[in-house]
Amino acid sequence: MSAKLDRRRFVAAGTTALAMPFVSRGASAQAAWPSRQIRMICSYPAGGQTDLLARAFGEFISKQVGKTVVVENKPGASGAIGTAEVARAEPDGHTILCSISTTYIMNRVVVKNPGYDMDRDLTLVSVIPGAGLLLVANPKTGVKTLEDFVAFARKSGKVNFGTYSAGSAPHMTINELNKQYGLNIEPVHYRGEAPMWTGMLEGTLDAAMGSYTAAQSVLQSDRGTVFAVHSKKVGAIPDIKTLPEQGATSKFFTVSGFSGWAVPKATPQPIVDRLADLCVAANNDPKVKEVLATFVLEPAIGFKETNELYQRELPIWIESAKSLGLEPA
């Protein structure tokens, strides 16, 4: 009987021993991370919002983990060049992507061969939900509300409306307004917000849409009037109503987009969780707070909330983007 008992104990002990590497593997991966310098690849140019977020959060992470975080700008193809490089990287937490929802969602529609498959190749770690984008009218239009804008567009027959790229949120907003109100708003695509707002300053556009911060040159010179915000109110101008509050009904006007971080798909979950926790903790860092305030952005959110947001907004973005009828470039 004692022999049988000893055998049972031996089998149980062996089973436990076999299980131990699987239990401890994630913990050891987390404990060993990071073991060297971390590369944070920003898929947009230096000096812009995404770059400044990468540098502020990267500096905070570096201080917390005791390893250097080097930000490398790899712009091009709507963020696809830098993103594809991260997708091919070793999944050990030492290569991180900082990009935006265009890269994570829109490229599957507007870029023919982006070089990565978001769902197969990458894991979203943490994101910063986007701020409400401003719809700004040329003062000569007399527009102060969405109702005014619709009336102006109907009376004019054709209105030109600036966007910062084809397939962007402003482009989709124009498309959705045209569908709901039977308008003929014509998008005028620029290569970025700066040249678009220059078009407003020069008086060549009837309207345009973009971020609160980038629009300041137009607003402070009285060359534009904010008549709506896209999906959520902006704290600095709380009296301006959202498009849904003014009667616009498209589901697209409920999404906000986001900026944030991703890693190669097979990165161990403990490392993903640690990175997400660091991004959330960074919300209290003075430099991070300054960047968030500059661009009127919300704090970074955790891994679970991030992926819930992604799954919720993904089908709405894709449906709206496909309705543009763009041929992938």
Side-chain angles (χ1 to χ4, degrees):
M1 188 161 186
S2 62
K4 289 181 181 179
L5 182 60
D6 288 343
R7 188 174 182 181
R8 286 196 203 102
R9 287 175 178 166
F10 177 78
V11 171
T15 303
T16 303
L18 285 170
M20 284 177 64
F22 295 95
V23 172
S24 62
R25 188 174 297 155
S28 63
Q30 184 178 19
W33 180 88
S35 60
R36 61 181 187 276
Q37 175 179 286
I38 297 170
R39 297 172 68 212
M40 186 179 291
I41 294 179
C42 175
S43 63
Y44 286 86
Q49 175 179 306
T50 313
D51 173 67
L52 294 176
L53 286 170
R55 294 181 189 280
F57 277 80
E59 184 176 331
F60 175 82
I61 292 170
S62 176
K63 289 176 183 176
Q64 300 305 305
V65 302
K67 298 291 182 182
T68 303
V69 176
V70 177
V71 176
E72 300 177 16
N73 297 92
K74 299 288 181 76
S78 298
I81 292 175
T83 303
E85 183 168 338
V86 174
R88 295 191 299 267
E90 191 69 25
D92 57 8
H94 292 90
T95 305
I96 305 168
L97 174 68
C98 184
S99 196
I100 63 175
S101 45
T102 298
T103 302
Y104 296 128
I105 295 176
M106 289 294 293
N107 279 359
R108 67 186 74 198
V109 176
V110 300
V111 179
K112 197 168 191 176
N113 295 302
Y116 64 94
D117 180 293
M118 179 63 204
D119 300 324
R120 182 194 65 211
D121 299 331
L122 293 161
T123 296
L124 272 177
V125 174
S126 173
V127 300
I128 297 167
L133 296 175
L134 278 55
L135 283 78
V136 180
N138 190 314
K140 71 182 182 183
T141 65
V143 168
K144 298 186 185 302
T145 65
L146 176 60
E147 184 179 4
D148 292 343
F149 180 71
V150 171
F152 171 77
R154 284 177 175 156
K155 183 179 179 180
S156 302
K158 181 176 286 189
V159 172
N160 62 41
F161 195 116
T163 88
Y164 44 76
S165 69
S168 63
H171 189 189
M172 287 190 281
T173 295
I174 293 166
N175 187 51
E176 296 297 340
L177 291 175
N178 280 340
K179 286 194 294 184
Q180 179 174 345
Y181 296 103
L183 304 177
N184 188 25
I185 307 169
E186 181 179 356
V188 180
H189 303 305
Y190 290 81
R191 292 186 176 183
E193 275 201 76
M196 180 191 74
W197 292 121
T198 298
M200 281 291 290
L201 284 168
E202 294 172 347
T204 58
L205 292 172
D206 295 314
M209 176 176 162
S211 66
Y212 174 83
T213 302
Q216 288 309 300
S217 59
V218 170
L219 302 181
Q220 291 175 5
S221 61
D222 295 323
R223 300 293 183 89
T225 303
V226 184
F227 65 92
V229 289
H230 174 262
S231 60
K232 62 177 69 172
K233 288 195 172 185
V234 175
I237 46 173
D239 294 337
I240 304 298
K241 293 181 178 180
T242 65
L243 287 169
E245 286 176 329
Q246 297 189 61
T249 58
S250 170
K251 287 183 180 179
F252 181 69
F253 301 141
T254 67
V255 301
S256 59
F258 51 82
S259 304
W261 294 269
V263 292
K265 193 69 173 181
T267 302
Q269 190 62 39
I271 294 177
V272 173
D273 292 338
R274 173 68 172 141
L275 267 173
D277 290 345
L278 286 167
C279 289
V280 172
N283 292 324
N284 296 314
D285 179 75
K287 286 189 177 180
V288 169
K289 281 184 173 181
E290 183 180 353
V291 175
L292 293 176
T294 296
F295 294 102
V296 201
L297 296 173
E298 296 179 13
I301 59 178
F303 175 77
K304 181 174 181 290
E305 296 87 348
T306 286
N307 285 276
E308 287 174 350
L309 174 67
Y310 174 73
Q311 293 299 331
R312 186 168 63 248
E313 293 199 350
L314 175 64
I316 300 173
W317 278 90
I318 296 301
E319 180 184 354
S320 187
K322 286 182 176 178
S323 72
L324 294 175
L326 292 175
E327 287 293 325

